Amino acid sequence: MIKKNLDILEKEIQNICDRVGRNREEIEVVAVTKTVDLNLIEEAIDYKYNSIGENRVQELEKRFTQLEGKDVNYHMIGSLQSNKVKDIVGKVKLIHSVDRMSVVRQIQRRSKNKEIVTDVLLQVNIAEEDTKSGLKEEEVIPFIEKVIDNENMRIRGLMTMAPHVEDEEIIRDTFRKLRELKEEIDSKNYKGLSMDYLSMGMTNDYEIAIEEGSNILRLGRVIFGERDYSKEI
């Protein structure tokens, strides 16, 4: 049912990579499954898009149950409350949305109790939009320096969302600034810090994101079509 969408998307990503000289294999697609029917998610997994992302812990927990036994990498991509950390630590491959010390403390505590290391991205509100969560650009390095010694939480990169605007230069500037911030952090050679991931790019702007260095795309509508939000929990 969605194979045609996936075929078109895969061809488009490959074409963009070819044009800008990037390796398709270095880019991970996280299929955003908010409100999506289970049969469509299973089709995406069968297509080898086996990384799925949810914005809410409650919905992610539902996917843990529905997809039990399948080879799936779970991503928490929405804002995370500290009291919900306990429900996903040990179950997710990557938390994309760390931006508060209260969440850091809970991730460290819960991960230590389980004797695991939890990988996270720092969410950065590059455009400083009032409606979006995330650290301001100038807050990121001081934040890293406060949390880098946490042995059970490992920072693996940065995440951002571009403004929902028509002006492509505004979108490009947002993604470029995040990449430049990643490069600045890399240059400091913090012990135990590996800036492996730039999570940026959604259905409306993934082409620009690839051009600007993203290696995790969070894609929903381009895969699954328009959403029926009456199904939302």
Side-chain angles (χ1 to χ4, degrees):
M1 190 173 179
I2 61 168
K3 185 178 183 302
K4 182 179 179 180
N5 293 349
L6 294 166
D7 286 340
I8 292 170
L9 173 62
E10 192 58 36
K11 184 177 179 180
E12 289 181 348
I13 293 174
Q14 184 64 63
N15 286 342
I16 298 164
C17 288
D18 290 344
R19 176 164 51 78
V20 298
R22 294 191 62 188
N23 182 351
R24 166 66 185 92
E25 297 305 311
E26 72 185 26
I27 298 172
E28 180 176 6
V29 174
V30 174
V32 181
T33 55
K34 183 177 182 179
T35 76
V36 173
D37 288 340
L38 180 60
N39 66 304
L40 298 183
I41 299 171
E42 290 176 331
E43 280 190 54
I45 293 169
D46 291 342
Y47 194 91
K48 305 305 181 186
Y49 278 20
N50 68 332
S51 292
I52 70 168
E54 284 285 354
N55 291 282
R56 294 168 57 189
V57 170
Q58 187 177 359
E59 292 176 341
L60 198 54
E61 288 183 294
K62 181 174 74 172
R63 302 307 184 197
F64 295 151
T65 301
Q66 290 177 329
L67 299 168
E68 185 176 6
K70 289 189 174 291
D71 179 20
V72 178
N73 295 317
Y74 296 97
H75 293 247
M76 178 64 198
I77 62 174
S79 183
L80 179 59
Q81 296 175 333
S82 55
N83 65 344
K84 294 290 188 179
V85 169
K86 66 182 185 300
D87 299 321
I88 62 170
V89 162
K91 298 178 180 177
V92 296
K93 175 185 178 183
L94 193 60
I95 298 172
H96 291 229
S97 49
V98 171
D99 63 356
R100 299 187 308 283
M101 288 302 301
S102 59
V103 172
V104 169
R105 285 191 290 268
Q106 283 298 313
I107 293 173
Q108 169 63 19
R109 176 188 166 199
R110 300 290 178 177
S111 301
K112 186 174 182 179
N113 288 344
K114 290 179 178 288
E115 299 182 340
I116 61 172
V117 176
T118 297
D119 288 339
V120 307
L121 306 180
L122 301 185
Q123 181 171 348
V124 188
N125 187 355
I126 288 284
E128 297 192 15
E129 295 180 274
D130 292 339
T131 57
K132 289 178 181 172
S133 302
L135 297 161
K136 293 180 180 178
E137 184 177 353
E138 65 271 17
E139 294 174 333
V140 174
I141 290 176
F143 190 89
I144 287 172
E145 291 176 349
K146 286 181 182 177
V147 306
I148 191 131
D149 291 333
N150 286 338
E151 295 180 352
N152 298 90
M153 188 195 81
R154 180 169 52 195
I155 298 171
R156 298 292 302 278
L158 306 174
M159 181 271 260
T160 199
M161 290 178 280
H164 191 68
V165 295
E166 295 293 329
D167 189 336
E168 291 189 359
E169 283 309 307
I170 292 175
I171 297 170
R172 187 176 301 280
D173 186 60
T174 300
F175 293 154
R176 183 182 295 124
K177 283 181 176 177
L178 193 75
R179 173 173 49 80
E180 290 172 348
L181 178 59
K182 172 192 175 295
E183 291 168 354
E184 180 183 357
I185 296 166
D186 272 333
S187 73
K188 293 183 177 293
N189 295 314
Y190 290 113
K191 185 178 179 181
L193 178 68
S194 57
M195 300 295 290
D196 301 311
Y197 298 122
L198 277 178
S199 173
M200 55 189 196
M202 300 167 68
T203 291
N204 291 331
D205 52 30
Y206 69 86
E207 178 176 0
I208 299 172
I210 294 172
E211 291 171 349
E212 293 300 328
S214 174
N215 56 9
I216 299 182
L217 308 174
R218 309 182 306 275
L219 304 180
R221 192 173 69 254
V222 70
I223 296 174
F224 299 111
E226 296 296 333
R227 305 305 177 87
D228 179 359
Y229 288 104
S230 66
K231 296 177 181 178
E232 190 171 1
I233 295 173

